[in-house]
Structure formats: structure tokens, C-alpha cells
Amino acid sequence: MNKTRLNSPKLLSILYLLLHPITIHAKCACKSLSTTQKKYDEAIKYKLLAIASILLCSALGICIPILLKNLTALQPNRPIHFLIKAFAAGVILATGFIHILPDAFNSLTSTCLGQSSWGNFPFAGFIAMLTAIGTLIMESFATGYHRRAELRKAQPVNGDEESELANIGGIDPGGSIALERASSSDLIRNRIVSQVLELGIVVHSVIIGISLGATQNPKTIRPLIAALSFHQFFEGMGLGGCISQAKYKPGTITIMVLFFSLTNPIGIAIGMAISKIYNENSQTALAVEGVLNSASAGILIYMALVDLLAADFMNPNLQKNFRLQLGTNVALLVGACCMALLGGT
């Protein structure tokens, strides 16, 4: 009996020491769960803010050139038109080189792909090169097909009718037909450019939207809101200028505007929906993301250099004006550098 009384304090001490860590662990676990839930709620708020901000900036960017296309200052071959288009082209060019292509290389050379053949060959650059060449071939064949169709449609005018038309009001039928053909060729080229450019932008927008939506770290999402809003606004400006020059019907313009404006927010929503099961480091996710990013980079780099910049920089109206030529080059560098700085943050 005495032994039991003597040992009871020791027994209580042992029980206290055994149970005390469990109590501390329970408090820490509760605190950890509370912190995780707080981060999750904060991430959701930033994602909703990103959807609203990106949607607004995308819609504004693409609509401004379309709605203001009748303003004299924004007409093609006007100084402001050259400056805005060069700045937007710089943003698109930097998006391809600084944002998308490095991400593609990182995805396709990731150690998470394991001992696969992806890391043994520069697939990202190879796919980007093939996509740029494919865009050139497609654009060339589409334009050539249209021009051949226009030549087949044109009805020859015989000598008597031509001389009669020339005598009545000084009409030159040959010059009229040539002018109509040139205008038609420019129109079809502008339509091809706008469609291919939107395709390249949309592919990247979906990928980056899903990635942002699946991210659970508020510190990662916060700076992306400003970067993507800026990015989408000036990409929209470039695309909107191409759409306005393509002279689509109102229904087609509405579809293209909605497609561009909603793609990134929809991507974010998809990312939020699959955030519990999406693993950005899985082999399938890395391979698909790397291939699509490479293709998108190839399209955007080609379109920025060939269809947006080369056409304007070789324009006689630009080359005749030294101050405008200098200003356009500065606008290009400013746009590219601004986007490059955002890519480095």
C-alpha cells in the first residue's frame, strides 16, 4: 500500500510527460491548418481580382483600336498609328522571347520528366522554329490562293470596250482592276494576320491562366495581376489594330473580341477548379505545357517581326519622315523593354 502511494507521483509525472507533447502537437496542427486556410482564402481573393482586372484590360485593349478606327489620328499611315503599333509589337515580341520561350525550355528540360528523350534535344526551340516556318507557309499559300482566285474572277475587257471607257470620263479599266486586286490582297492578308495572331495569343493565355488559377501562393499571384493586365492590354491593342484593318463584319469582330477577352479569365477559372488535382510537375502537364508554349512563342515571334513590324518599318510614309522613324524605333524598344522587365520580376 505504501509502495503504491510512493509511486503515484512518479506515475503522474510520466503520464504528464507523455501527454504534454500531444497537446503541443495538437495546438501546432490547429495553427497550421488555420494558416493554410487563410492562405487559401487570400489566394482565392487574388484570383477573383485577377479575373476582373485581366478581363477589363483585355476588353479595353482590343476594343480601343476597333472603336476609334474612324478617328483621323488613328488611321493607317498616321504617326500615332505607327507609334502605337510599334509599342504593341514590342510587347508581343518580348512576350514570345522573354515570357513564353524560356518557360517552354524549363518545362521540356525539367528533371521531373525523368529519363525521357525531352532533355536530350532542344525541342522547345525546334518546335518554335517549325511553328514559325509553318505560319509563313500557311500565310503564303493562303495569300497566293486568294490572288489566283482574284485573277480567275477578273474578266478581260476587249479593245473596243476599253477605248470607249477611256473616252467616257477618262476611265482606265486596267488601273481600276489592278487597284481593286491590290486592295483585296491587302484585305485577305490582314485577315490572315489577325486570325493567326489571335491563335498564338490565345494558346498562351489559356496556359498561363490555368497555371495562375492552380497556384495557391498569394505572393506568386499578387505581382502576376499587374503583369498580366499590362500584358493583355497591349497585346489587345496590337490585335485590335489588326482586326480593324481586316474590316470584318460586326458579328465576326464581336466573336474575336470575346474570344480574346475571355480566354485568360476562363483559363484562371479552370485552374481554380482543378487546383486540388492539378500537378504542374507531372510528366504529362510539363510535356503538354512545353509543346504548346513553344508553338505559341514561334507564332508570336514570327507575327511580331514579319507581319507587324516589317510591314510598317518598310512603309514609304515612315521612311520619308526621320523623326517618325526614330520615334517608332524608340516605341518598339520601350514596349519590348517594359515587357522584358515584367518577365524578370
Side-chain angles (χ1 to χ4, degrees):
M1 190 75 176
N2 291 332
K3 286 183 179 180
T4 307
R5 288 178 182 175
L6 289 171
N7 290 335
S8 59
K10 292 182 179 179
L11 185 61
L12 290 172
S13 300
I14 292 169
L15 288 173
Y16 176 77
L17 291 172
L18 288 172
L19 294 174
H20 185 62
I22 296 173
T23 309
I24 294 172
H25 177 73
K27 289 180 180 178
C28 291
C30 292
K31 187 177 180 181
S32 177
L33 287 172
S34 175
T35 305
T36 303
Q37 185 62 37
K38 187 177 179 181
K39 283 183 68 176
Y40 178 79
D41 293 341
E42 189 179 0
I44 290 292
K45 291 178 183 177
Y46 281 124
K47 289 173 189 178
L48 295 175
L49 178 61
I51 289 175
S53 176
I54 292 170
L55 178 61
L56 178 62
C57 290
S58 299
L60 282 175
I62 195 170
C63 287
I64 286 173
I66 296 171
L67 296 176
L68 301 181
K69 64 181 180 181
N70 293 325
L71 287 180
T72 305
L74 295 178
Q75 292 293 314
N77 298 328
R78 294 283 181 172
I80 295 178
H81 176 267
F82 282 121
L83 294 172
I84 294 174
K85 197 172 176 183
F87 184 88
V91 170
I92 294 171
L93 189 62
T95 299
F97 275 119
I98 306 298
H99 286 258
I100 308 179
L101 199 56
D103 286 347
F105 273 105
N106 289 336
S107 297
L108 296 181
T109 57
S110 174
T111 54
C112 296
L113 289 173
Q115 299 298 323
S116 62
S117 59
W118 289 107
N120 299 326
F121 185 81
F123 279 103
F126 182 68
I127 294 169
M129 179 189 70
L130 288 182
T131 308
I133 294 173
T135 305
L136 170 65
I137 292 171
M138 186 269 301
E139 190 174 325
S140 175
F141 273 104
T143 306
Y145 172 80
H146 176 77
R147 286 185 177 176
R148 289 190 294 272
E150 288 296 315
L151 287 172
R152 286 194 295 269
K153 285 180 186 177
Q155 297 295 327
V157 181
N158 62 43
D160 293 337
E161 290 176 341
E162 186 173 349
S163 59
E164 184 178 350
L165 287 170
N167 291 331
I168 302 173
I171 298 174
D172 180 11
S176 176
I177 292 173
L179 184 62
E180 185 179 347
R181 288 176 186 168
S183 177
S184 181
S185 295
D186 288 341
L187 182 63
I188 194 65
R189 182 178 175 277
N190 287 330
R191 289 184 175 181
I192 293 169
V193 167
S194 62
Q195 291 169 6
V196 176
L197 180 60
E198 179 155 17
L199 175 64
I201 293 172
V202 161
V203 169
H204 172 58
S205 295
V206 170
I207 294 171
I208 199 168
I210 292 174
S211 298
L212 191 150
T215 302
Q216 300 296 346
N217 189 352
K219 292 181 180 179
T220 303
I221 301 170
R222 197 182 304 123
L224 282 175
I225 297 174
L228 288 177
S229 299
F230 175 88
H231 173 197
Q232 291 291 111
F233 179 81
F234 284 103
E235 273 193 348
M237 289 279 286
L239 179 60
C242 293
I243 292 173
S244 65
Q245 288 181 314
K247 298 179 181 178
Y248 286 111
K249 293 179 180 179
T252 306
I253 292 175
T254 303
I255 292 171
M256 295 185 76
V257 167
L258 289 175
F259 201 56
F260 170 78
S261 302
L262 294 175
T263 303
N264 198 283
I266 289 174
I268 297 173
I270 293 171
M272 292 171 67
I274 65 173
S275 60
K276 299 293 184 182
I277 59 172
Y278 178 73
N279 181 11
E280 61 182 8
N281 293 319
S282 69
Q283 292 189 2
T284 303
L286 288 170
V288 171
E289 185 177 333
V291 169
L292 291 179
N293 270 337
S294 301
S296 177
I299 291 173
L300 293 184
I301 290 168
Y302 170 84
M303 299 300 291
L305 288 173
V306 177
D307 288 322
L308 297 180
L309 292 175
D312 282 354
F313 277 52
M314 295 297 110
N315 191 310
N317 293 323
L318 179 66
Q319 293 180 338
K320 289 175 185 176
N321 189 333
F322 175 75
R323 291 177 63 185
L324 178 59
Q325 192 174 21
L326 181 63
T328 306
N329 280 274
V330 170
L332 168 64
L333 290 172
V334 170
C337 290
C338 287
M339 204 65 214
L341 289 173
L342 286 175
T345 57

